[in-house]
Amino acid sequence: MGCGPSGASMKIVSALINLLLMVVFLGYMMIWFMKPTNTFYLNWFPDVEKKTSSTYLGKQGSTILICAFPILFIATIASLYLHLEKKYDHDHNTSKSFSRMILSKRLAITRGPLGIVTWTELTFMAMFVSLLVWSLYSYMHDMFAFAAVEAAQEKFQVWEVKLETAGLSLGLVGNTCLAFLFFPVARGSSVLQYVGLTSEASIKYHIWLGHITMAIFTAHGLCYVTYWSLTHQILQMLKWGKFMVSNVAGEIALLAGLVMWSTSFGRIRRKIFELFYYSHHLYVVFVIFYVFHVGFAEFCLILPGFYLFLIDRYLRLLQSQQKIRSVTARILPSETVELNFSKSSGLSYAPTSIAFINVPSISRIQWHPFTVTSNSNMDSDKLSVVIKCDGSWSHKLYQILSSASPTNRLEVSIEGPYGPPSTNFMRYEKLVLVSGGSGVTPFISIIREIIFKSNTTGSKTPAIHLICAFKKYANLAMLELLLPVSGTTLDLSRLQLQIEAYMTQETEPKTVNQSSIRTILFKPNPSDAPVSAVLGPNSWLWLSVIISSSFIIFLLLTGLLTRFYIFPIDHNTNKKYPMPASSAFGMLFVCVAITIAASAAFLWNKRENAKELNQIRTTDMSTPASLLYETELESLPRQSLRQATTVQLGRRPNLKKILSELKEENVGVYVSGPGTMRQEVAAVCSSFSADNLHFESISFSW
């Protein structure tokens, strides 16, 4: 927590920033609400267009101003806010209070195709669906008024003209969905962090929006194909307009979208993940031909979300090019591996963060997310992830490391880590952590954080009740990971820890050698580097610089091209200079601007942090060559862990009974595991009328 003037100043600054961004966001949403009306199209927009249309930005200047600028402004200011919060408010109290205000966790739906939905999510969902319904009604109502006149002019039936109008209206409504589609998948987004979300937690919003978007665009395409067929204009499907909408481009975009959509349904995504993963790269084809279909001026409506996604994607690409220094691997008897990597001391992350791992010796193109189990406070020079065998990729990795003569070097690239801006579990009197299988991995980082707090601060830490369900007795060895391998003996007696482990498929205890863990020391390589933030310790500040400077570069490039090349030909008529060419230039300038700004920031930070990275490399190179040995954890902490653990055989936990017996006034119930377990715990929590239970669902990756 900040103290003195800094703490007081931060509260004032945060209040002002929250107010400013709320006003800008409400104004932005008002534009979307008014956009389908004649008031907007016949009065507001022409007036704005008249004042902003220039020889530099053309008629797209108005769309950039009212649709693109507000969100990019919010993202820039949010980045500055997060930087200030990290610098002055180390406990993140202001962000927690803001996210609590915005994101209430009270449950509304616990079972069903939507999964677990809170009342806040349900409210925003209802508001968004209402916006779509209102937009569709308004577009169709206003355009249907001219259907009879248009039918008489074109010599078509009135209902046929209305069918075309319905198709156009659906396309315009689809643009509204598309405008929000890319926000949840920007992993390092300042917008998500500002409101207390992570990309892992918000991926379900991307799924919901994706289904709605493709359903609307599919209906849009079917309406037009049916209309052209009925009115004997089927050759319109082959039209590539020079100054108007390009139908061929729209069809290609729709086909790419349909392929992505058809492979994204739950069953296919879970059973044939590679098909889903690779087909989703068709988003590049979808976006390019969508821009050719509608023109770059119309694309500016959805530009903000895609712009922030491109920045995030390019920064991840830059980070992924560096090979990371692998330090050790711990092999557990339950086909589980803990990988430990060298880390820059300036890199900090919250518990429950995830990192994306690539091992080129297995696959150069596959990236897999894993929960970070290390604690940045306790392990200042190390980052750890836990990998449980479940799939061909993880089995290949386990085979490489568990063989009789394991590799002496593991080449790895890492993206991340990504995690929540703050954690709320310290505010609870008691934590009930419910996990299934490898869902225990996020709780390792939480428990390690509380171990650190209980040993280094005088503040009271919450009592912990860990309920974990495993199929096999051998999986019990995963609990060994609760104890970090550290040179400092930690006093677990200060930790109020109770562990209930349930073996669901075994009724007889088995002997598992938990006293020893096989550990591999990897041979260092001079070219390897520690895990570090892609933009250094001041990542949020640099992100604000990238967003603002790249947008300025984009405007300069667009302005120069328009003023000295397009305007002398077209004179802002949009009838002389080909729309596909201007669209191509627009997309090119977005990519060039982001590349220039992000690359400059990355190279600057790489040069500034070179001294620290070289010191870490020098230290790593002094490590002995590859070594295989058996290690025993500190006996005292391990004994305390055993005493705190109760093993139940052949049964599942009675969650309703356990939760109903809680007497504490403020209990945080965290669940991490399969979807069925999450829904079961959510249903139990929502069945109680007591206000002392606070449900949290944690995304885990292993």
Side-chain angles (χ1 to χ4, degrees), residues 24 101 126 161 174 196 206 291 303 349 357 380 506 526 544 571 609 666-667 693:
V24 175
M101 177 181 68
V161 174
H206 175 73
V291 177
L303 179 61
Y349 47 86
I357 309 294
S380 61
E506 293 186 353
S544 69
H571 299 287
N609 298 324
N666 191 19
V667 180
L693 296 182

mmCIF file with all atom_site columns, all heavy atoms in Angstrom, residues 24 101 126 161 174 196 206 291 303 349 357 380 506 526 544 571 609 666-667 693:
data_model
loop_
_atom_site.group_PDB
_atom_site.id
_atom_site.type_symbol
_atom_site.label_atom_id
_atom_site.label_alt_id
_atom_site.label_comp_id
_atom_site.label_asym_id
_atom_site.label_entity_id
_atom_site.label_seq_id
_atom_site.pdbx_PDB_ins_code
_atom_site.Cartn_x
_atom_site.Cartn_y
_atom_site.Cartn_z
_atom_site.occupancy
_atom_site.B_iso_or_equiv
_atom_site.pdbx_formal_charge
_atom_site.auth_seq_id
_atom_site.auth_comp_id
_atom_site.auth_asym_id
_atom_site.auth_atom_id
_atom_site.pdbx_PDB_model_num
ATOM 1   N N   . VAL A 1 24  ? -15.558 8.822   -21.026 1.00 0.00 ? 24  VAL A N   1
ATOM 2   C CA  . VAL A 1 24  ? -15.205 8.522   -22.419 1.00 0.00 ? 24  VAL A CA  1
ATOM 3   C C   . VAL A 1 24  ? -15.886 7.242   -22.880 1.00 0.00 ? 24  VAL A C   1
ATOM 4   O O   . VAL A 1 24  ? -16.426 7.178   -23.997 1.00 0.00 ? 24  VAL A O   1
ATOM 5   C CB  . VAL A 1 24  ? -13.676 8.400   -22.568 1.00 0.00 ? 24  VAL A CB  1
ATOM 6   C CG1 . VAL A 1 24  ? -13.310 7.963   -23.990 1.00 0.00 ? 24  VAL A CG1 1
ATOM 7   C CG2 . VAL A 1 24  ? -12.996 9.726   -22.253 1.00 0.00 ? 24  VAL A CG2 1
ATOM 8   N N   . MET A 1 101 ? -16.138 -2.927  -7.834  1.00 0.00 ? 101 MET A N   1
ATOM 9   C CA  . MET A 1 101 ? -17.291 -2.108  -8.190  1.00 0.00 ? 101 MET A CA  1
ATOM 10  C C   . MET A 1 101 ? -17.852 -2.523  -9.550  1.00 0.00 ? 101 MET A C   1
ATOM 11  O O   . MET A 1 101 ? -19.060 -2.565  -9.760  1.00 0.00 ? 101 MET A O   1
ATOM 12  C CB  . MET A 1 101 ? -16.867 -0.638  -8.234  1.00 0.00 ? 101 MET A CB  1
ATOM 13  C CG  . MET A 1 101 ? -17.962 0.319   -8.661  1.00 0.00 ? 101 MET A CG  1
ATOM 14  S SD  . MET A 1 101 ? -17.363 2.016   -8.713  1.00 0.00 ? 101 MET A SD  1
ATOM 15  C CE  . MET A 1 101 ? -16.219 1.957   -10.084 1.00 0.00 ? 101 MET A CE  1
ATOM 16  N N   . ALA A 1 126 ? -27.126 -8.983  -21.241 1.00 0.00 ? 126 ALA A N   1
ATOM 17  C CA  . ALA A 1 126 ? -28.471 -8.520  -21.588 1.00 0.00 ? 126 ALA A CA  1
ATOM 18  C C   . ALA A 1 126 ? -28.423 -7.144  -22.245 1.00 0.00 ? 126 ALA A C   1
ATOM 19  O O   . ALA A 1 126 ? -29.150 -6.879  -23.219 1.00 0.00 ? 126 ALA A O   1
ATOM 20  C CB  . ALA A 1 126 ? -29.340 -8.483  -20.335 1.00 0.00 ? 126 ALA A CB  1
ATOM 21  N N   . VAL A 1 161 ? -37.196 -6.671  -51.827 1.00 0.00 ? 161 VAL A N   1
ATOM 22  C CA  . VAL A 1 161 ? -36.380 -5.526  -51.413 1.00 0.00 ? 161 VAL A CA  1
ATOM 23  C C   . VAL A 1 161 ? -36.181 -5.551  -49.901 1.00 0.00 ? 161 VAL A C   1
ATOM 24  O O   . VAL A 1 161 ? -35.092 -5.238  -49.395 1.00 0.00 ? 161 VAL A O   1
ATOM 25  C CB  . VAL A 1 161 ? -37.038 -4.210  -51.859 1.00 0.00 ? 161 VAL A CB  1
ATOM 26  C CG1 . VAL A 1 161 ? -36.280 -3.003  -51.295 1.00 0.00 ? 161 VAL A CG1 1
ATOM 27  C CG2 . VAL A 1 161 ? -37.093 -4.130  -53.373 1.00 0.00 ? 161 VAL A CG2 1
ATOM 28  N N   . GLY A 1 174 ? -23.749 -7.064  -37.406 1.00 0.00 ? 174 GLY A N   1
ATOM 29  C CA  . GLY A 1 174 ? -22.574 -7.913  -37.253 1.00 0.00 ? 174 GLY A CA  1
ATOM 30  C C   . GLY A 1 174 ? -21.314 -7.099  -37.004 1.00 0.00 ? 174 GLY A C   1
ATOM 31  O O   . GLY A 1 174 ? -20.420 -7.532  -36.258 1.00 0.00 ? 174 GLY A O   1
ATOM 32  N N   . GLY A 1 196 ? -9.801  -5.427  -14.118 1.00 0.00 ? 196 GLY A N   1
ATOM 33  C CA  . GLY A 1 196 ? -9.600  -6.595  -13.268 1.00 0.00 ? 196 GLY A CA  1
ATOM 34  C C   . GLY A 1 196 ? -9.798  -7.923  -13.950 1.00 0.00 ? 196 GLY A C   1
ATOM 35  O O   . GLY A 1 196 ? -10.039 -8.931  -13.285 1.00 0.00 ? 196 GLY A O   1
ATOM 36  N N   . HIS A 1 206 ? -15.007 -13.900 -25.675 1.00 0.00 ? 206 HIS A N   1
ATOM 37  C CA  . HIS A 1 206 ? -14.628 -14.036 -27.085 1.00 0.00 ? 206 HIS A CA  1
ATOM 38  C C   . HIS A 1 206 ? -15.436 -15.158 -27.742 1.00 0.00 ? 206 HIS A C   1
ATOM 39  O O   . HIS A 1 206 ? -15.877 -15.019 -28.889 1.00 0.00 ? 206 HIS A O   1
ATOM 40  C CB  . HIS A 1 206 ? -13.131 -14.329 -27.182 1.00 0.00 ? 206 HIS A CB  1
ATOM 41  C CG  . HIS A 1 206 ? -12.646 -14.609 -28.571 1.00 0.00 ? 206 HIS A CG  1
ATOM 42  N ND1 . HIS A 1 206 ? -12.514 -13.624 -29.532 1.00 0.00 ? 206 HIS A ND1 1
ATOM 43  C CD2 . HIS A 1 206 ? -12.280 -15.775 -29.182 1.00 0.00 ? 206 HIS A CD2 1
ATOM 44  C CE1 . HIS A 1 206 ? -12.075 -14.154 -30.657 1.00 0.00 ? 206 HIS A CE1 1
ATOM 45  N NE2 . HIS A 1 206 ? -11.925 -15.459 -30.474 1.00 0.00 ? 206 HIS A NE2 1
ATOM 46  N N   . VAL A 1 291 ? -11.934 -6.226  -44.752 1.00 0.00 ? 291 VAL A N   1
ATOM 47  C CA  . VAL A 1 291 ? -11.587 -4.834  -45.058 1.00 0.00 ? 291 VAL A CA  1
ATOM 48  C C   . VAL A 1 291 ? -11.822 -4.544  -46.532 1.00 0.00 ? 291 VAL A C   1
ATOM 49  O O   . VAL A 1 291 ? -12.352 -3.482  -46.895 1.00 0.00 ? 291 VAL A O   1
ATOM 50  C CB  . VAL A 1 291 ? -10.122 -4.542  -44.673 1.00 0.00 ? 291 VAL A CB  1
ATOM 51  C CG1 . VAL A 1 291 ? -9.744  -3.115  -45.065 1.00 0.00 ? 291 VAL A CG1 1
ATOM 52  C CG2 . VAL A 1 291 ? -9.911  -4.739  -43.178 1.00 0.00 ? 291 VAL A CG2 1
ATOM 53  N N   . LEU A 1 303 ? -11.708 -1.080  -35.730 1.00 0.00 ? 303 LEU A N   1
ATOM 54  C CA  . LEU A 1 303 ? -10.255 -0.956  -35.651 1.00 0.00 ? 303 LEU A CA  1
ATOM 55  C C   . LEU A 1 303 ? -9.697  -0.995  -34.227 1.00 0.00 ? 303 LEU A C   1
ATOM 56  O O   . LEU A 1 303 ? -8.664  -1.633  -34.006 1.00 0.00 ? 303 LEU A O   1
ATOM 57  C CB  . LEU A 1 303 ? -9.803  0.329   -36.354 1.00 0.00 ? 303 LEU A CB  1
ATOM 58  C CG  . LEU A 1 303 ? -8.297  0.620   -36.342 1.00 0.00 ? 303 LEU A CG  1
ATOM 59  C CD1 . LEU A 1 303 ? -7.546  -0.500  -37.058 1.00 0.00 ? 303 LEU A CD1 1
ATOM 60  C CD2 . LEU A 1 303 ? -7.995  1.972   -36.975 1.00 0.00 ? 303 LEU A CD2 1
ATOM 61  N N   . TYR A 1 349 ? 4.989   -10.955 -11.007 1.00 0.00 ? 349 TYR A N   1
ATOM 62  C CA  . TYR A 1 349 ? 3.698   -11.420 -11.493 1.00 0.00 ? 349 TYR A CA  1
ATOM 63  C C   . TYR A 1 349 ? 2.866   -11.871 -10.307 1.00 0.00 ? 349 TYR A C   1
ATOM 64  O O   . TYR A 1 349 ? 3.388   -12.202 -9.245  1.00 0.00 ? 349 TYR A O   1
ATOM 65  C CB  . TYR A 1 349 ? 3.870   -12.566 -12.501 1.00 0.00 ? 349 TYR A CB  1
ATOM 66  C CG  . TYR A 1 349 ? 4.828   -13.640 -12.042 1.00 0.00 ? 349 TYR A CG  1
ATOM 67  C CD1 . TYR A 1 349 ? 4.397   -14.694 -11.244 1.00 0.00 ? 349 TYR A CD1 1
ATOM 68  C CD2 . TYR A 1 349 ? 6.173   -13.583 -12.392 1.00 0.00 ? 349 TYR A CD2 1
ATOM 69  C CE1 . TYR A 1 349 ? 5.274   -15.662 -10.804 1.00 0.00 ? 349 TYR A CE1 1
ATOM 70  C CE2 . TYR A 1 349 ? 7.064   -14.550 -11.947 1.00 0.00 ? 349 TYR A CE2 1
ATOM 71  C CZ  . TYR A 1 349 ? 6.612   -15.587 -11.165 1.00 0.00 ? 349 TYR A CZ  1
ATOM 72  O OH  . TYR A 1 349 ? 7.482   -16.546 -10.722 1.00 0.00 ? 349 TYR A OH  1
ATOM 73  N N   . ILE A 1 357 ? 4.399   -21.875 -23.371 1.00 0.00 ? 357 ILE A N   1
ATOM 74  C CA  . ILE A 1 357 ? 5.678   -22.552 -23.550 1.00 0.00 ? 357 ILE A CA  1
ATOM 75  C C   . ILE A 1 357 ? 5.753   -23.165 -24.949 1.00 0.00 ? 357 ILE A C   1
ATOM 76  O O   . ILE A 1 357 ? 4.788   -23.768 -25.426 1.00 0.00 ? 357 ILE A O   1
ATOM 77  C CB  . ILE A 1 357 ? 5.878   -23.667 -22.509 1.00 0.00 ? 357 ILE A CB  1
ATOM 78  C CG1 . ILE A 1 357 ? 5.631   -23.134 -21.089 1.00 0.00 ? 357 ILE A CG1 1
ATOM 79  C CG2 . ILE A 1 357 ? 7.257   -24.285 -22.629 1.00 0.00 ? 357 ILE A CG2 1
ATOM 80  C CD1 . ILE A 1 357 ? 6.610   -22.125 -20.611 1.00 0.00 ? 357 ILE A CD1 1
ATOM 81  N N   . SER A 1 380 ? 12.944  -14.844 -6.597  1.00 0.00 ? 380 SER A N   1
ATOM 82  C CA  . SER A 1 380 ? 13.231  -13.636 -7.373  1.00 0.00 ? 380 SER A CA  1
ATOM 83  C C   . SER A 1 380 ? 13.979  -13.925 -8.660  1.00 0.00 ? 380 SER A C   1
ATOM 84  O O   . SER A 1 380 ? 13.971  -13.106 -9.580  1.00 0.00 ? 380 SER A O   1
ATOM 85  C CB  . SER A 1 380 ? 14.039  -12.652 -6.521  1.00 0.00 ? 380 SER A CB  1
ATOM 86  O OG  . SER A 1 380 ? 15.274  -13.230 -6.127  1.00 0.00 ? 380 SER A OG  1
ATOM 87  N N   . GLU A 1 506 ? -9.313  -45.298 -6.260  1.00 0.00 ? 506 GLU A N   1
ATOM 88  C CA  . GLU A 1 506 ? -8.551  -46.315 -5.542  1.00 0.00 ? 506 GLU A CA  1
ATOM 89  C C   . GLU A 1 506 ? -9.049  -46.405 -4.105  1.00 0.00 ? 506 GLU A C   1
ATOM 90  O O   . GLU A 1 506 ? -9.317  -45.381 -3.471  1.00 0.00 ? 506 GLU A O   1
ATOM 91  C CB  . GLU A 1 506 ? -7.057  -45.995 -5.572  1.00 0.00 ? 506 GLU A CB  1
ATOM 92  C CG  . GLU A 1 506 ? -6.454  -46.106 -6.973  1.00 0.00 ? 506 GLU A CG  1
ATOM 93  C CD  . GLU A 1 506 ? -4.952  -45.921 -6.974  1.00 0.00 ? 506 GLU A CD  1
ATOM 94  O OE1 . GLU A 1 506 ? -4.399  -45.573 -5.909  1.00 0.00 ? 506 GLU A OE1 1
ATOM 95  O OE2 . GLU A 1 506 ? -4.330  -46.132 -8.028  1.00 0.00 ? 506 GLU A OE2 1
ATOM 96  N N   . PRO A 1 526 ? 25.313  -19.920 -23.711 1.00 0.00 ? 526 PRO A N   1
ATOM 97  C CA  . PRO A 1 526 ? 25.557  -18.472 -23.693 1.00 0.00 ? 526 PRO A CA  1
ATOM 98  C C   . PRO A 1 526 ? 24.474  -17.649 -24.381 1.00 0.00 ? 526 PRO A C   1
ATOM 99  O O   . PRO A 1 526 ? 24.278  -16.477 -24.059 1.00 0.00 ? 526 PRO A O   1
ATOM 100 C CB  . PRO A 1 526 ? 26.902  -18.332 -24.430 1.00 0.00 ? 526 PRO A CB  1
ATOM 101 C CG  . PRO A 1 526 ? 27.549  -19.677 -24.317 1.00 0.00 ? 526 PRO A CG  1
ATOM 102 C CD  . PRO A 1 526 ? 26.440  -20.676 -24.292 1.00 0.00 ? 526 PRO A CD  1
ATOM 103 N N   . SER A 1 544 ? 1.760   2.306   -23.120 1.00 0.00 ? 544 SER A N   1
ATOM 104 C CA  . SER A 1 544 ? 1.045   3.551   -23.417 1.00 0.00 ? 544 SER A CA  1
ATOM 105 C C   . SER A 1 544 ? 1.776   4.346   -24.494 1.00 0.00 ? 544 SER A C   1
ATOM 106 O O   . SER A 1 544 ? 1.143   4.957   -25.365 1.00 0.00 ? 544 SER A O   1
ATOM 107 C CB  . SER A 1 544 ? 0.898   4.395   -22.145 1.00 0.00 ? 544 SER A CB  1
ATOM 108 O OG  . SER A 1 544 ? 2.148   4.902   -21.716 1.00 0.00 ? 544 SER A OG  1
ATOM 109 N N   . HIS A 1 571 ? -10.385 13.831  -54.674 1.00 0.00 ? 571 HIS A N   1
ATOM 110 C CA  . HIS A 1 571 ? -11.021 15.031  -54.109 1.00 0.00 ? 571 HIS A CA  1
ATOM 111 C C   . HIS A 1 571 ? -12.142 14.684  -53.125 1.00 0.00 ? 571 HIS A C   1
ATOM 112 O O   . HIS A 1 571 ? -13.188 15.348  -53.094 1.00 0.00 ? 571 HIS A O   1
ATOM 113 C CB  . HIS A 1 571 ? -11.570 15.928  -55.225 1.00 0.00 ? 571 HIS A CB  1
ATOM 114 C CG  . HIS A 1 571 ? -10.507 16.423  -56.155 1.00 0.00 ? 571 HIS A CG  1
ATOM 115 N ND1 . HIS A 1 571 ? -9.596  17.391  -55.813 1.00 0.00 ? 571 HIS A ND1 1
ATOM 116 C CD2 . HIS A 1 571 ? -10.210 16.044  -57.440 1.00 0.00 ? 571 HIS A CD2 1
ATOM 117 C CE1 . HIS A 1 571 ? -8.780  17.618  -56.831 1.00 0.00 ? 571 HIS A CE1 1
ATOM 118 N NE2 . HIS A 1 571 ? -9.120  16.811  -57.840 1.00 0.00 ? 571 HIS A NE2 1
ATOM 119 N N   . ASN A 1 609 ? 18.353  -3.149  -20.526 1.00 0.00 ? 609 ASN A N   1
ATOM 120 C CA  . ASN A 1 609 ? 18.401  -4.285  -19.600 1.00 0.00 ? 609 ASN A CA  1
ATOM 121 C C   . ASN A 1 609 ? 19.534  -5.256  -19.917 1.00 0.00 ? 609 ASN A C   1
ATOM 122 O O   . ASN A 1 609 ? 19.630  -6.314  -19.302 1.00 0.00 ? 609 ASN A O   1
ATOM 123 C CB  . ASN A 1 609 ? 17.068  -5.046  -19.633 1.00 0.00 ? 609 ASN A CB  1
ATOM 124 C CG  . ASN A 1 609 ? 15.907  -4.170  -19.193 1.00 0.00 ? 609 ASN A CG  1
ATOM 125 O OD1 . ASN A 1 609 ? 16.065  -3.337  -18.302 1.00 0.00 ? 609 ASN A OD1 1
ATOM 126 N ND2 . ASN A 1 609 ? 14.756  -4.342  -19.811 1.00 0.00 ? 609 ASN A ND2 1
ATOM 127 N N   . ASN A 1 666 ? -16.092 -14.403 6.511   1.00 0.00 ? 666 ASN A N   1
ATOM 128 C CA  . ASN A 1 666 ? -15.650 -13.991 5.186   1.00 0.00 ? 666 ASN A CA  1
ATOM 129 C C   . ASN A 1 666 ? -14.791 -15.098 4.586   1.00 0.00 ? 666 ASN A C   1
ATOM 130 O O   . ASN A 1 666 ? -13.615 -15.226 4.893   1.00 0.00 ? 666 ASN A O   1
ATOM 131 C CB  . ASN A 1 666 ? -14.849 -12.687 5.289   1.00 0.00 ? 666 ASN A CB  1
ATOM 132 C CG  . ASN A 1 666 ? -14.591 -12.051 3.942   1.00 0.00 ? 666 ASN A CG  1
ATOM 133 O OD1 . ASN A 1 666 ? -15.268 -12.348 2.966   1.00 0.00 ? 666 ASN A OD1 1
ATOM 134 N ND2 . ASN A 1 666 ? -13.592 -11.192 3.884   1.00 0.00 ? 666 ASN A ND2 1
ATOM 135 N N   . VAL A 1 667 ? -15.396 -15.915 3.715   1.00 0.00 ? 667 VAL A N   1
ATOM 136 C CA  . VAL A 1 667 ? -14.727 -17.094 3.164   1.00 0.00 ? 667 VAL A CA  1
ATOM 137 C C   . VAL A 1 667 ? -14.646 -16.964 1.644   1.00 0.00 ? 667 VAL A C   1
ATOM 138 O O   . VAL A 1 667 ? -15.640 -16.685 0.976   1.00 0.00 ? 667 VAL A O   1
ATOM 139 C CB  . VAL A 1 667 ? -15.482 -18.394 3.529   1.00 0.00 ? 667 VAL A CB  1
ATOM 140 C CG1 . VAL A 1 667 ? -14.770 -19.604 2.934   1.00 0.00 ? 667 VAL A CG1 1
ATOM 141 C CG2 . VAL A 1 667 ? -15.604 -18.521 5.037   1.00 0.00 ? 667 VAL A CG2 1
ATOM 142 N N   . LEU A 1 693 ? -19.918 -16.604 1.861   1.00 0.00 ? 693 LEU A N   1
ATOM 143 C CA  . LEU A 1 693 ? -19.213 -17.362 0.832   1.00 0.00 ? 693 LEU A CA  1
ATOM 144 C C   . LEU A 1 693 ? -19.052 -16.515 -0.428  1.00 0.00 ? 693 LEU A C   1
ATOM 145 O O   . LEU A 1 693 ? -20.017 -15.962 -0.949  1.00 0.00 ? 693 LEU A O   1
ATOM 146 C CB  . LEU A 1 693 ? -19.965 -18.648 0.493   1.00 0.00 ? 693 LEU A CB  1
ATOM 147 C CG  . LEU A 1 693 ? -20.094 -19.697 1.605   1.00 0.00 ? 693 LEU A CG  1
ATOM 148 C CD1 . LEU A 1 693 ? -20.810 -20.921 1.086   1.00 0.00 ? 693 LEU A CD1 1
ATOM 149 C CD2 . LEU A 1 693 ? -18.730 -20.073 2.149   1.00 0.00 ? 693 LEU A CD2 1
#
